Amino acid sequence: MAPASIMTVRLVSPRDKPTLSEAGEGWVAIGGDEVDLDPSRRIETATALEAAFAAVIPDFLALCRNLGADPSAVLAHTPSAAANVSDLGLMMAWSRLVETWAGEGRKTVLVCADPWLYRHLAGLPGVNAAPPPSLPGPLPRLRGFAARLRYGLRAALGVRAKPTTPQGRSWLLSYANPQSGPDGTDAYFGPLMRERADLCRMLHVDCPPEEARRLNGGGRSFSLHHWGSALFALTGLPFARWIPRKEMLDGPWGWLVRRAATGEAATAQGAAIAWQIHCQRRWLADAHPLAVAWPWENHGWERDFCRAARGLGVASAGYQHSSVGRFELNHHVDANPDGLASLPDRVLCTGAVTRDALTRWGLPESRSRVAGALRYGFARGPRWDRDAPLFVALPGDMALAAQMVGAVSRVAPGLGRKILIRPHPVYDVAVPETHLVTRAATGLGGQAAVSAVIYAATTVGLEAVLFGLPTIRFIAAGCIAHDILPNTVNVPAADEAGLAAAIERAEPPPTVARDDVFAPVDHDVWRQALPLPKAAS
C-alpha cells in the first residue's frame, strides 16, 4: 500500500485542460467526457469497474437499507438497490476502484465533470484534487418541481368516475405492455386470465387511459387512475420526492447520496410513484380483493403495496417473472429496511434456479414456491453453426445498447462474419448497417442458426444458454450492465477490447435444464396464490 501522504492519483475536471505530466501516468475519463489526451495511455476500466461493483455490494446494500428507512424513500429507485435504474452502485464502484489505484500507487489522471462524485473522490486517501466543478444550484429542483406539477395536472385530468368492480376476487396487477391484449393475454402473466374467467386485471398507472380502454375488451381490466383523487394529484404530487435525512447526507457516502437525491428530484419520478401508491391504496380499500399478484421486483411502490395489503388482510403474491441475476440486487432481502415485512406473502418463482437464488438472498423457503414460467413458452431455438451469423441482443438501456452497436461494428471487419443486431422491442436504437452488420428481422427464436449470441442486461442471454448456444456477456465501459444470469450459470464475458477473441473462442455452454429456470406452469400453485371467489370455490 502506498503511504496516504503520497498523492498518486490526480483528480481534475475537463475544464482544467488536463495533461499527462509523468512517464507511466495513465488516464481515465469518468462519465465519458471528451478528453484531448494520448489515447494509447487511456486505462481500460470495463472489467475492473465491474469487479469493483461486485466488491462493494455489501456496502451498497447496507447503504440502501439505511436510505430506505426514510419515510419518503418509497418515492425513489435508489433506496431499492435497483442498479438498472439508479447508478448509486456505479458511483460506489468508481470510489472503490480509485481507492484501490491510490493504494497501489498507480499514477493516474482522473477526469471527472460530475460535481458530487468529484467531491467524494477528492476526499479519498492518495487523491490530489484540483478545485471541484461547481454544483448546479437550484435548477434541478425547479425542473423537477415543474415536471411533477405537469404530471399532477395530467393525473388530475385523467381521473374519471370510479367503475363498479367485482368484490372479493383475485386480481392481477400489471404494467402496460404492447404485448398485452384485450382478451386477457398479458405480457407478464401470459394466458392466465384467459384460462381463469374469475380473474380481473388492474393496470398500473404507467398505463395511459386510452391503452387501458383498449385492454378492457373483456370487461375485466381496469385502470388504477380511476381510484385517484384529483385534489391529491394537484396538491400532493408536485411535492412528492425523496428527501434523505441529514445524517445520510453527511455520512461517508454523503456526496453520492446528495447526487442520487438531486437526480431523482429533478424528474417527475417521485410524483409517478406517489400516484401509484395513492391509487393502489384506495383501490385495495375499495375492492377488498382476495389476493393480488404482480410482476415482483421489490421497488418502493411494491413494498408499500405489501404493507397496505397485509394491513387489510389481502393476500399478496409477487411473481418473479424474469430473472434474478447476480447484480439484480433489488431482489435482495438485505435491501429492505424492514426485512420481510415489506415482501409479498409468497413469491412465485419461474423455476428452481431463481428460487434458490432468492433463498440465498434471505427469502425463507416457506415464502416462495415454483409456479412456472407464464411468459416463456418458446420451443426449439436456432441451431449452432460456426459459420452462421452472430446474433447481438440489445438491452432496454439505450446508452448501453448504443455502446454495444459501436463495439460489434468495430470488430466486425476483423471477424469477417455477418452480425445480426436485434434492438429491444420497446427501446429502439440506430443500427448503422453495412455489408456485415444488419438489423435482425426477428428475435433469437426466429433465427435458423447462429454461431454465437452476444448480450447485456437482457434475458435473451439466458434463453441463449438454455438453447445451448455459445453465449458471451458484454461488459460495458463506464457503467454496470446488469448481469441477468444467476450465480449457478456462467458464460464468458468480454469488454470491447476482448470481444473479438471471445467470439473466436466461443463454444456451447454446459447444459442447463430449461425446466430448472423456466419450469412448466404449476396451476395448483397459482390457484393457491389466487384463490377462487368464496361462492365459486
Side-chain angles (χ1 to χ4, degrees), residues 354-443:
T354 46
R355 185 181 185 223
D356 291 346
L358 292 173
T359 300
R360 288 193 301 272
W361 281 0
L363 182 69
E365 288 188 350
S366 61
R367 294 280 286 267
S368 68
R369 296 286 302 276
V370 173
L374 292 168
R375 292 181 64 182
Y376 298 94
F378 52 85
R380 292 175 61 87
R383 72 179 188 279
W384 175 47
D385 182 345
R386 288 188 186 276
D387 298 321
L390 287 164
F391 185 87
V392 180
L394 300 183
D397 184 316
M398 299 181 70
L400 172 56
Q403 187 179 146
M404 290 181 68
V405 171
V408 297
S409 297
R410 284 186 286 272
V411 302
L415 295 170
R417 197 183 314 181
K418 195 170 184 64
I419 298 177
L420 302 176
I421 299 180
R422 178 67 170 176
H424 189 279
V426 178
Y427 304 101
D428 196 9
V429 296
V431 177
E433 298 192 72
T434 67
H435 68 290
L436 290 175
V437 179
T438 60
R439 293 173 69 100
T442 65

Side-chain angles (χ1 to χ4, degrees), residues 137-494:
L139 184 59
R141 292 195 300 274
L142 295 174
R143 186 169 64 243
F145 180 80
R148 292 189 296 275
L149 178 62
R150 183 166 59 249
Y151 185 96
L153 289 170
R154 290 175 57 193
L157 291 172
V159 173
R160 297 289 185 271
K162 186 170 60 179
T164 301
T165 57
Q167 299 285 301
R169 294 281 191 97
S170 289
W171 290 72
L172 306 178
L173 172 58
S174 195
Y175 294 103
N177 191 296
Q179 296 176 3
S180 297
D183 64 347
T185 300
D186 193 88
Y188 303 91
F189 293 97
L192 199 58
M193 273 187 70
R194 297 204 316 269
E195 298 167 353
R196 292 268 308 269
D198 61 293
L199 291 179
C200 296
R201 176 171 57 185
M202 184 57 64
L203 296 162
H204 191 280
V205 297
D206 77 332
C207 184
E210 60 274 14
E211 177 67 0
R213 286 191 290 271
R214 180 186 76 83
L215 293 175
N216 193 27
R220 291 189 290 145
S221 292
F222 303 88
S223 170
L224 269 180
H225 288 285
H226 291 299
W227 276 264
S229 159
L231 179 62
F232 174 78
L234 294 173
T235 61
L237 297 188
F239 304 97
R241 64 184 179 92
W242 170 43
I243 305 175
R245 60 193 186 278
K246 187 177 185 303
E247 67 187 82
M248 303 307 300
L249 298 176
D250 296 335
W253 302 104
W255 281 113
L256 301 187
V257 174
R258 292 169 187 263
R259 178 186 182 277
T262 300
E264 299 231 19
T267 70
Q269 178 177 275
I273 298 174
W275 187 237
Q276 171 71 22
I277 290 173
H278 166 79
C279 293
Q280 70 191 21
R281 285 180 181 175
R282 289 163 64 95
W283 167 66
L284 283 171
D286 179 66
H288 304 291
L290 280 175
V292 183
W294 71 96
W296 177 70
E297 294 174 342
N298 200 24
H299 292 304
W301 72 265
E302 299 173 68
R303 298 176 183 186
D304 189 272
F305 185 90
C306 292
R307 299 182 192 110
R310 194 162 289 124
L312 293 169
V314 177
S316 57
Y319 180 38
Q320 175 272 302
H321 61 102
S322 181
S323 61
V324 182
R326 65 191 183 103
F327 288 167
E328 294 181 298
L329 301 168
N330 44 295
H331 295 98
H332 208 301
V333 174
D334 282 353
N336 290 32
D338 53 355
L340 299 175
S342 52
L343 294 181
D345 294 333
R346 68 183 79 190
V347 174
L348 307 180
C349 301
T350 58
V353 167
T354 46
R355 185 181 185 223
D356 291 346
L358 292 173
T359 300
R360 288 193 301 272
W361 281 0
L363 182 69
E365 288 188 350
S366 61
R367 294 280 286 267
S368 68
R369 296 286 302 276
V370 173
L374 292 168
R375 292 181 64 182
Y376 298 94
F378 52 85
R380 292 175 61 87
R383 72 179 188 279
W384 175 47
D385 182 345
R386 288 188 186 276
D387 298 321
L390 287 164
F391 185 87
V392 180
L394 300 183
D397 184 316
M398 299 181 70
L400 172 56
Q403 187 179 146
M404 290 181 68
V405 171
V408 297
S409 297
R410 284 186 286 272
V411 302
L415 295 170
R417 197 183 314 181
K418 195 170 184 64
I419 298 177
L420 302 176
I421 299 180
R422 178 67 170 176
H424 189 279
V426 178
Y427 304 101
D428 196 9
V429 296
V431 177
E433 298 192 72
T434 67
H435 68 290
L436 290 175
V437 179
T438 60
R439 293 173 69 100
T442 65
L444 180 60
Q447 305 301 318
V450 299
S451 55
V453 175
I454 303 170
Y455 81 99
T458 168
T459 51
V460 177
L462 183 54
E463 293 176 23
V465 171
L466 298 179
F467 286 145
L469 299 170
T471 306
I472 300 166
R473 182 172 63 85
F474 180 76
I475 301 176
C479 65
I480 303 298
H482 247 192
D483 183 1
I484 54 83
L485 294 182
N487 286 334
T488 53
V489 180
N490 295 301
V491 300

Side-chain angles (χ1 to χ4, degrees), residues 67-80:
L67 293 172
D70 295 318
S72 59
V74 292
L75 304 180
H77 287 308
T78 299
S80 299

